Amino acid sequence: MNILKFKYSYLAFVTITYLVACNNTNEHLEKDSNTNVITHNQHPSELKVDVLKKGDHVPSNKVCMVNDEYMGKEQLEVPLDGKMYYGCCEMCKNRIPQDEKVRYSIDPLTNKKVDKALAYIVLASDNGQVYYFENESNYLKFNNKN
């Protein structure tokens, strides 16, 4: 009976660790209240700090397309069907080819389906979330409305 308890406890621990690994992406985001910008601090061994503010264009290679978050550093490349997607960890890298839902988003202006690999990506919030637009023109129209 103790072996069975141990197996279930171990399985629960591994599952929780696996799920949390990709969902702790906001731990290094800090908001500077004086300037209203986001700084994404890298691990202590990395000195580079990217500074973006809400509405800034975000390079696709710095976005985890599974979590839809700006990560502040280059992500893992996931080539698929002649296009390049990006993920923050091995789980994301494996999920992108298997789950079509994570490869697409909805353009906030037109409500059309947008391929994340081809999208114009913008920082949407102070916590690193991003919006995907079909093109820069759609973003500018959206920005003028809001």
Side-chain angles (χ1 to χ4, degrees), residues 4-144:
L4 191 57
K5 271 187 182 178
F6 174 77
K7 285 182 181 181
Y8 283 121
S9 296
Y10 180 74
L11 181 61
F13 172 77
V14 170
T15 302
I16 290 169
T17 303
Y18 182 75
L19 292 173
V20 172
C22 283
N23 292 325
N24 65 0
T25 57
N26 287 335
E27 287 181 9
H28 302 295
L29 289 176
E30 298 175 6
K31 180 178 177 184
D32 180 339
S33 59
N34 296 328
T35 58
N36 200 29
V37 297
I38 300 297
T39 58
H40 189 283
N41 297 321
Q42 307 302 319
H43 293 97
S45 63
E46 299 173 14
L47 299 176
K48 182 179 177 187
V49 176
D50 285 344
V51 178
L52 291 177
K53 64 182 187 298
K54 186 176 172 181
D56 283 350
H57 173 69
V58 178
S60 57
N61 67 343
K62 292 189 177 185
V63 171
C64 174
M65 293 180 175
V66 173
N67 294 323
D68 298 325
E69 290 187 24
Y70 167 70
M71 305 300 282
K73 65 179 182 174
E74 289 190 24
Q75 299 302 292
L76 300 170
E77 293 182 345
V78 184
L80 183 68
D81 298 330
K83 295 177 269 186
M84 189 64 71
Y85 297 89
Y86 297 92
C88 66
C89 65
E90 286 301 317
M91 186 210 59
C92 292
K93 190 175 176 180
N94 292 331
R95 186 169 172 198
I96 289 170
Q98 297 172 2
D99 187 354
E100 181 179 327
K101 290 183 280 185
V102 301
R103 296 192 305 267
Y104 293 91
S105 187
I106 300 297
D107 183 313
L109 177 72
T110 63
N111 291 318
K112 288 183 181 178
K113 186 176 174 180
V114 178
D115 188 324
K116 292 178 182 180
L118 305 174
Y120 184 81
I121 307 172
V122 176
L123 190 62
S125 70
D126 291 342
N127 65 2
Q129 289 299 115
V130 296
Y131 286 146
Y132 299 90
F133 290 89
E134 189 175 3
N135 51 49
E136 183 178 9
S137 177
N138 282 8
Y139 165 65
L140 294 173
K141 289 174 189 172
F142 176 83
N143 196 36
N144 287 336

